[in-house]
């Protein structure tokens, strides 16, 4: 990525999250193209409309590709940077999804939720730099190609599996030039575990509780205690995986932070209530798989997970 | 209860279960009256229609009372035997429900599901004999006053809290005279725990799994293992409460017995799917309360219970 030339960015999965971070890189001077499925027609015709507290982030991508189009990339046409922002569903083969687009010098950056979501990509594209990002953002798709960014947007970013290399620094600089805050972390997997404490405990539980909001869950008889115990199980798995957290402090902080907000439906609860797929394995199943490999008992997490599998998720 | 006179029986809560056992005692020569709520009009007009493999068990009760009628019993008019067959919901005050009907010599017999469901009645009616019954029966209400008895009907019966006294023997003889099998048990609480292993594990879980049938639950990934672990937690509580079970044998038998039947929706799943109340505390909450008093960890049972409370049960 030379300074003289605008980096070519391809956002794969340009939904509410991907199109927002594409807009940020566009503001930083990048050339931004996208790969879409459901909103292809709307975006190909009119580009993205993005309302944001940062201002009007609407933009027209350089190229709009449909995910099912046959495409054979060449080293010349391959993007400098891929932002992979798809939901991680059991039906999605992300390695195959990237295949047509990855060139020999393409940096791959994930902005996705979950634990242990990098290793398959790292193995398949061992020669490409892999950056892993955790997004803290409130954004939603209100209509085809129409995104409402409500709040936040901060990224935590690192090189996978650890460290902060030049690729990471350059991409972080671009995001900051586009107007968002970025924390560079030399231990991004630890950051994922930290976020996972909340997500693995409260996201699937909200689906099992039929889309209940955070207040309903915490205020039910025994609710806060169960949530704390689920979080403690996640902390135990993190520690066994080599990422010890200060469990008491993390759990107290999570509960307090959640109680300080008005009750809200988390993203998985919203996906569930809107009939969309849920990222059950990325958020919880992978945690349980690691727990089993390491011999960590997670009876509560497993009860939630298996019961959701009984419901067909 | 003299042999020269037909025992006067009052069935309180004459639904699918109560009206059936009322019919059995009617066949044994008893005078049977009932207390009803929802099906009062139909039964007051036409009595019960009961289709059964035992034959036509239809009958017209001696008296049909509405549960909300003001009634002040006298020693003369009080029944010899009350069969209490109401669902045990958090909204139901069973002690108060019995109050107008219990005379000084009335025997009280419960035909109800759950654990620790006798003690409040034993305390409130300390001078009345208390018999506790566990029913193994497949019966359902298909229309007001119209009951379909499909199979089974066996009772396990004992004097509460233990033993088999003369009252128990007499009532057991009456049920057998009416055509069903009765097992007299000198440790009825142990019998409740034995039945509870299946019920506490699979009934609330089926509600949480959105009314899933037994096959769906057992065949989901990790499903049978979770069910076995839930059953093991119940066995641990039973043992701590003084009712040790051979856990391996009981669990294997439960799983095998369930797998030998075609997948079916259990009674709580059916109540849930039909918008009726579920006996969550009688079946599961009371088990957890005992576990907490005895210091027995029940993480999986608690996860199921608390999540159902989050859903408003």
């Amino acid at each position: 990525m030379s300074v003289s030339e605008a980096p070519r960015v391809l956002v794969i999965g340009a939904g509410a999250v991907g199109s927002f971070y594409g807009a940020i890189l566009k503001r930083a001077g990048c050339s931004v193209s996208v790969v879409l499925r459901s909103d292809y027609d709307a975006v190909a015709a009119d580009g993205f409309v993005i309302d944001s507290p940062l201002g009007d982030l609407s933009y027209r991508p350089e190229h709009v590709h449909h995910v099912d189009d046959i495409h054979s990339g060449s080293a010349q046409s391959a993007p400098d940077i891929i932002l992979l922002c798809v939901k991680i569903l059991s039906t999605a083969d992300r390695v195959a999804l990237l295949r047509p687009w990855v060139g020999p010098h393409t940096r791959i950056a994930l902005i996705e939720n979950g634990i242990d979501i990098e290793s398959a990509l790292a193995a398949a594209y061992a020669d490409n730099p892999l950056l892993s990002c955790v997004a803290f953002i409130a954004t939603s798709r209100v209509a085809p190609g129409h995104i409402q960014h409500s709040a936040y947007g901060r990224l935590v970013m690192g090189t996978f599996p650890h460290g902060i290399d030049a690729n990471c620094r350059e991409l972080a600089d671009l995001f900051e030039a586009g107007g968002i805050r970025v924390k560079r972390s030399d231990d991004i997997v630890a950051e994922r575990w930290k976020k996972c404490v909340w997500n693995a405990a409260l996201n699937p539980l909200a689906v099992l509780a039929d889309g209940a909001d955070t207040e309903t869950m915490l205020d039910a008889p025994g609710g806060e205690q169960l949530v704390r115990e689920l979080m403690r199980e996640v902390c135990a798995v993190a520690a066994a995986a080599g990422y010890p957290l200060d469990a008491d402090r993390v759990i107290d902080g999570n509960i307090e932070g959640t109680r300080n907000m008005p009750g809200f439906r988390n993203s998985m609860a919203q996906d569930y209530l809107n009939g969309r797929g849920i990222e059950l394995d990325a958020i919880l199943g992978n945690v349980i798989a690691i727990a089993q490999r390491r011999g960590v008992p997670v009876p509560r997490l497993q009860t939630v997970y298996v019961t959701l599998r009984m419901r067909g998720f």
Side-chain angles (χ1 to χ4, degrees), chain A:
Chain A
M1 186 152 64
S2 82
V3 288
S4 63
E5 203 183 314
R8 282 166 302 141
V9 173
L10 181 68
V11 182
I12 300 184
V17 170
S19 64
F20 171 81
Y21 287 107
I24 296 298
L25 293 182
K26 176 98 179 164
R27 295 219 301 183
C30 297
S31 157
V32 177
S33 297
V34 297
V35 179
L36 291 166
R37 184 188 303 276
S38 43
D39 286 1
Y40 174 82
D41 289 341
V43 176
D46 303 314
F48 289 105
V49 177
I50 306 182
D51 309 320
S52 166
L54 300 177
D56 181 5
L57 299 183
S58 302
Y59 66 106
R60 192 174 278 277
E62 191 72 17
H63 299 284
V64 179
H65 305 279
H66 191 281
V67 66
D68 290 334
D69 286 350
I70 304 296
H71 177 93
S72 58
S74 64
Q76 287 70 36
S77 69
D80 299 309
I81 301 167
I82 286 177
L83 294 191
L84 183 62
C85 305
V86 297
K87 277 177 68 177
I88 304 181
L89 306 177
S90 56
T91 50
D93 180 347
R94 288 149 68 241
V95 167
L97 198 60
L98 285 182
R99 184 76 63 198
W101 309 102
V102 177
H105 304 294
T106 303
R107 298 150 187 79
I108 302 170
L110 321 183
I111 309 182
E112 295 175 302
N113 280 322
I115 284 290
D116 196 17
I117 62 170
E118 301 97 341
S119 43
L121 297 168
Y125 303 106
D127 296 331
N128 294 86
L130 183 57
L131 310 173
S132 185
C133 308
V134 178
F136 295 83
I137 187 166
T139 182
S140 60
R141 170 191 171 283
V142 292
H146 189 168
I147 307 300
Q148 179 71 52
H149 170 227
S150 323
Y152 318 111
R154 191 169 67 95
L155 288 176
V156 178
M157 179 186 305
T159 304
F160 183 81
H162 46 70
I164 303 171
D165 68 5
N167 299 297
C168 180
R169 279 194 298 272
E170 285 172 27
L171 183 57
D173 290 347
L174 283 172
F175 277 121
E176 284 186 336
I180 62 161
R181 288 166 56 213
V182 180
K183 173 183 168 187
R184 291 118 177 115
S185 168
D186 60 7
D187 199 353
I188 188 63
V189 177
E191 303 284 349
R192 286 201 175 274
W193 277 108
K194 218 163 18 180
K195 190 174 185 195
C196 176
V197 174
W198 200 100
N199 282 352
L202 276 161
N203 270 319
L205 190 68
V207 176
L208 203 52
D210 254 2
D213 66 23
T214 50
E215 197 180 351
T216 302
M217 289 193 281
L218 289 174
D219 286 349
E224 179 176 323
Q225 193 195 336
L226 174 61
V227 171
R228 285 177 175 272
E229 285 164 344
L230 288 164
M231 289 179 175
R232 195 165 294 278
E233 290 185 1
V234 180
C235 290
V237 184
Y243 301 93
L245 301 168
D246 181 343
D248 287 335
R249 205 179 54 80
V250 170
I251 294 169
D252 284 348
N254 272 330
I255 296 291
E256 200 184 328
T258 306
R259 286 221 178 263
N260 284 344
M261 286 186 270
F264 65 95
R265 293 201 161 92
N266 62 45
S267 57
M268 198 180 278
Q270 291 181 39
D271 283 341
Y272 162 69
L273 291 172
N274 289 298
R276 297 188 294 256
I278 63 171
E279 298 181 290
L280 183 58
D281 280 322
I283 301 293
L284 180 56
N286 291 355
V287 175
I288 291 174
I290 293 169
Q292 286 174 331
R293 287 200 296 273
R294 309 262 175 181
V296 181
V298 287
R300 297 168 187 85
L301 293 173
Q302 203 147 20
T303 302
V304 171
Y305 179 76
V306 172
T307 310
L308 284 170
R309 299 298 302 265
M310 289 177 177
R311 281 173 63 167
F313 292 104

